[in-house]
Amino acid sequence: MDHMGVRVGRGNSESLLNEALQRIISTLANKNDEIQNFIDTLNHTLKGVQENSSNILSELDEEFDSLYSILDEVKESMINCIKQEQARKSQELQSQISQCNNALENSEELLEFATRSLDIKEPEEFSKAARQIKDRVTMASAFRLSLKPKVSDNMTHLMVDFSQERQMLQTLKFLPVPKAPEIDPVECLVADNSVTVAWRMLEEDNKIDHFILEHRKTNFDGLPRVKDERCWEIIDNIKGTEYTLSGLKFDSKYMNFRVRACNKAVAGEYSDPVTLETKALNFNLDNSSSHLNLKVEDTCVEWDPTGGKGQESKMKGKENKGSVHVTSLKKHTRSGTPSPKRTSVGSRPPAVRGSRDRFTGESYTVLGDTAIESGQHYWEVKAQKDCKSYSVGVAYKTLGKFDQLGKTNTSWCIHVNNWLQNTFAAKHNNKVKALDVTVPEKIGVFCDFDGGQLSFYDANSKQLLYSFKTKFTQPVLPGFMVWCGGLSLSTGMQVPSAVRTLQKSENGMTGSASSLNNVVTQ
């Protein structure tokens, strides 16, 4: 007995040591992943330094080339001005010189004539010559000339003084870069399929012209990862210090954000990135759970009267895409067993085909591929205009292959019938509650698993159509029935604020599962 006690004690000790070792291994693995991610970040940053340095050198060359080009243009313009002034003055002086030469030539000829006239002896001839000389002197151009240059040789009015410009050029320096903003997580809001990001400048800077916001989706909490498959999406020219991204589909668990400030010429450093959680139920239709008469895409289902033929061709296409699908098909028999295990909210394995007779008979049903085990979730459904009959709701995984939504105690739905007579009703456990409201264009489905509530809304107006109050004892799957028509889904949506507000004020529940116990069965 003592030996047995020793063995048990030793076994417990080994178990504790094993658990401690497992924790150490897990911690080391996480730390290694963290360090590797940091190394990737450093290598990415190093590559960025090299690329950005090369880019900024090219930009500097372009700026100086542009400056040289401007100086060359100004120099050429000034040279032309000097040459034009030189040509103008030269022309003026050449014209004066030509006029003076002509006047001098005429004057010299007149002087020679006057000198010869002094030698004339006959009074009459002398008198005649004197009169001619007098007349010629009166008309001589030499006496009408201005003996002052029309222009000077001064060119100083075309001199330049570049001392101020030289001083400016010598003070050229790199532009002051705006400081990095700081994103304020407290002021950021994730709601109604929108994200509002708010930031502030730690130091006032009146030179800031605008901001650039970058965002991307990720499934990793914390700092952005270099190897994350998604690229940053850019929103430029934001004038304020907040921005709202709207109409988002939250098909990832988180979103990274970073922002930087820009002046007229340069962008500053990025803010420290912030990761915001984007809670939403994102699921597709499970092709393996569909009736053979349904054509199923990821978020669309359409009734197909050709039956298995369309599905068979679709199956072949699926099989050709990978061995995973082929293998899974071989392992399943054509029995009425429940569809293959689907995952809970937040994790979904690769698509696996199950038995193709998951639903048979008139149960034209397809289920979602993600189970809801906790929390509050919301999605929307839109029917084709000519759809004859459809149902929208939830069901346990154990829904039988002949079962129709709402006709069992494992499914809840609202049903629209546009064939022969128009009816709109809530269904559960084969009981019906007629709804005296107009069928909306799009139906919003709200499932509060922990609160045991399933509510349906007009997706546009958020008017409450009907609410079930129950206690879910198993995970539920979104469920859909369609006949003669088709449905399209919108998933990856958050619970709208209007729905949350209505839920808080609607604790009494005007319509509930209990009210269906007293209505006539179908």
Side-chain angles (χ1 to χ4, degrees):
M1 292 295 291
D2 291 338
H3 293 297
M4 183 176 293
V6 170
R7 284 198 299 271
V8 171
R10 187 180 299 163
N12 290 337
S13 177
E14 290 177 355
S15 176
L16 291 173
L17 285 173
N18 185 276
E19 290 179 5
L21 184 58
Q22 289 290 345
R23 286 196 296 271
I24 292 171
I25 291 172
S26 177
T27 302
L28 286 174
N30 290 335
K31 179 56 67 175
N32 288 350
D33 184 58
E34 185 180 340
I35 293 173
Q36 183 59 55
N37 183 46
F38 184 59
I39 291 172
D40 292 339
T41 301
L42 291 177
N43 285 326
H44 182 74
T45 304
L46 177 60
K47 184 180 178 182
V49 167
Q50 295 166 346
E51 291 178 352
N52 291 336
S53 297
S54 177
N55 292 337
I56 206 70
L57 283 172
S58 298
E59 290 181 9
L60 187 65
D61 282 340
E62 290 179 6
E63 288 294 332
F64 271 94
D65 287 344
S66 175
L67 189 59
Y68 298 150
S69 175
I70 292 172
L71 289 172
D72 286 339
E73 289 176 7
V74 172
K75 179 181 178 181
E76 187 67 27
S77 176
M78 288 183 166
I79 288 173
N80 289 335
C81 286
I82 293 171
K83 289 181 176 180
Q84 288 173 6
E85 184 69 356
Q86 177 191 1
R88 184 185 71 81
K89 287 193 170 187
S90 296
Q91 186 176 1
E92 290 283 357
L93 292 172
Q94 288 290 352
S95 177
Q96 274 194 290
I97 290 172
S98 178
Q99 290 175 359
C100 288
N101 282 333
N102 290 334
L104 181 59
E105 185 179 342
N106 291 334
S107 181
E108 286 177 346
E109 182 186 350
L110 182 57
L111 177 61
E112 185 180 351
F113 177 66
T115 301
R116 288 199 307 270
S117 297
L118 291 174
D119 296 334
I120 299 175
K121 301 300 183 180
E122 295 184 3
E124 190 174 327
E125 286 292 327
F126 180 79
S127 176
K128 182 180 178 181
R131 283 196 300 272
Q132 287 179 349
I133 291 171
K134 180 182 177 182
D135 291 340
R136 289 180 64 182
V137 167
T138 302
M139 300 298 295
S141 59
F143 294 97
R144 296 196 304 273
L145 283 175
S146 171
L147 299 181
K148 179 182 179 181
K150 290 184 177 181
V151 294
S152 72
D153 61 353
N154 191 346
M155 298 288 283
T156 56
H157 63 291
L158 294 178
M159 293 292 291
V160 293
D161 178 13
F162 284 143
S163 58
Q164 185 176 355
E165 286 77 6
R166 187 178 294 109
Q167 185 178 359
M168 289 175 60
L169 289 172
Q170 288 171 342
T171 58
L172 275 179
K173 57 184 179 181
F174 295 113
L175 284 168
V177 179
K179 300 290 185 183
E182 181 181 79
I183 297 177
D184 187 357
V186 176
E187 296 297 322
C188 296
L189 179 65
V190 181
D192 297 322
N193 304 313
S194 300
V195 178
T196 298
V197 185
W199 58 89
R200 60 174 176 264
M201 297 299 298
L202 298 179
E203 297 179 13
E204 187 175 351
D205 187 348
N206 57 9
K207 299 292 185 182
I208 291 176
D209 177 69
H210 64 278
F211 296 91
I212 297 174
L213 175 67
E214 297 191 358
H215 63 92
R216 69 179 180 183
K217 295 178 180 180
T218 175
N219 284 315
F220 299 101
D221 191 6
L223 296 175
R225 299 187 172 212
V226 172
K227 290 185 177 180
D228 200 349
E229 69 281 3
R230 297 180 184 268
C231 296
W232 290 99
E233 296 185 44
I234 300 172
I235 301 169
D236 201 351
N237 202 33
I238 301 172
K239 296 299 183 180
T241 55
E242 72 171 39
Y243 189 85
T244 299
L245 292 162
S246 57
L248 298 173
K249 177 180 173 66
F250 291 128
D251 48 5
S252 297
K253 296 180 182 178
Y254 303 94
M255 286 185 74
N256 299 141
F257 296 92
R258 63 185 186 184
V259 65
R260 56 178 173 171
C262 306
N263 55 31
K264 289 291 186 181
V266 63
E269 292 294 323
Y270 288 106
S271 65
D272 289 336
V274 169
T275 300
L276 300 179
E277 187 175 6
T278 55
K279 291 182 179 178
L281 174 64
N282 187 69
F283 68 91
N284 290 325
L285 296 173
D286 184 0
N287 194 19
S288 67
S289 75
S290 65
H291 189 284
L292 278 176
N293 282 96
L294 298 181
K295 285 188 353 185
V296 178
E297 299 295 336
D298 287 343
T299 57
C300 296
V301 54
E302 190 170 352
W303 188 74
D304 180 12
T306 60
K309 295 181 181 178
Q311 198 81 342
E312 288 292 344
S313 61
K314 179 170 61 179
M315 283 291 302
K316 291 179 181 178
K318 291 275 186 179
E319 291 172 8
N320 291 336
K321 288 184 179 179
S323 59
V324 173
H325 299 289
V326 177
T327 304
S328 64
L329 281 171
K330 289 179 180 177
K331 287 183 179 179
H332 288 281
T333 61
R334 296 183 58 85
S335 66
T337 55
S339 59
K341 180 181 179 182
R342 283 173 285 279
T343 61
S344 59
V345 171
S347 63
R348 186 164 63 237
V352 177
R353 284 292 304 180
S355 173
R356 287 180 294 149
D357 58 355
R358 171 65 179 90
F359 291 106
T360 58
E362 294 184 356
S363 180
Y364 303 115
T365 302
V366 61
L367 301 175
D369 63 359
T370 303
I372 298 173
E373 295 181 347
S374 63
Q376 297 180 343
H377 308 283
Y378 179 84
W379 60 97
E380 294 180 349
V381 185
K382 183 176 182 179
Q384 294 176 355
K385 289 185 178 180
D386 57 349
C387 189
K388 293 282 194 301
S389 177
Y390 62 94
S391 297
V392 178
V394 299
Y396 291 154
K397 294 181 180 180
T398 55
L399 188 68
K401 68 176 184 177
F402 292 104
D403 294 336
Q404 298 180 32
L405 289 180
K407 287 195 172 185
T408 68
N409 61 357
T410 61
S411 61
W412 300 256
C413 73
I414 58 174
H415 175 72
V416 178
N417 179 26
N418 294 320
W419 186 60
L420 297 181
Q421 59 179 0
N422 295 331
T423 59
F424 188 24
K427 289 186 176 184
H428 170 62
N429 201 20
N430 205 28
K431 294 180 174 60
V432 179
K433 171 71 174 180
L435 304 180
D436 189 20
V437 291
T438 303
V439 178
E441 178 187 15
K442 187 184 293 186
I443 296 173
V445 184
F446 171 75
C447 179
D448 180 359
F449 186 89
D450 302 315
Q453 186 171 328
L454 179 68
S455 299
F456 301 89
Y457 293 86
D458 181 328
N460 295 325
S461 68
K462 300 301 182 289
Q463 175 192 359
L464 178 65
L465 303 175
Y466 191 80
S467 285
F468 290 103
K469 186 68 177 175
T470 185
K471 182 178 181 181
F472 296 118
T473 58
Q474 302 176 34
V476 296
L477 292 163
F480 310 88
M481 184 283 291
V482 61
W483 178 72
C484 287
L487 302 175
S488 59
L489 313 185
S490 297
T491 68
M493 306 179 74
Q494 293 179 318
V495 179
S497 299
V499 170
R500 290 188 186 278
T501 303
L502 281 169
Q503 291 301 319
K504 289 179 181 178
S505 62
E506 197 229 327
N507 293 327
M509 292 294 159
T510 54
S512 64
S514 60
S515 67
L516 290 178
N517 293 331
N518 300 321
V519 298
V520 180
T521 59
Q522 282 188 304

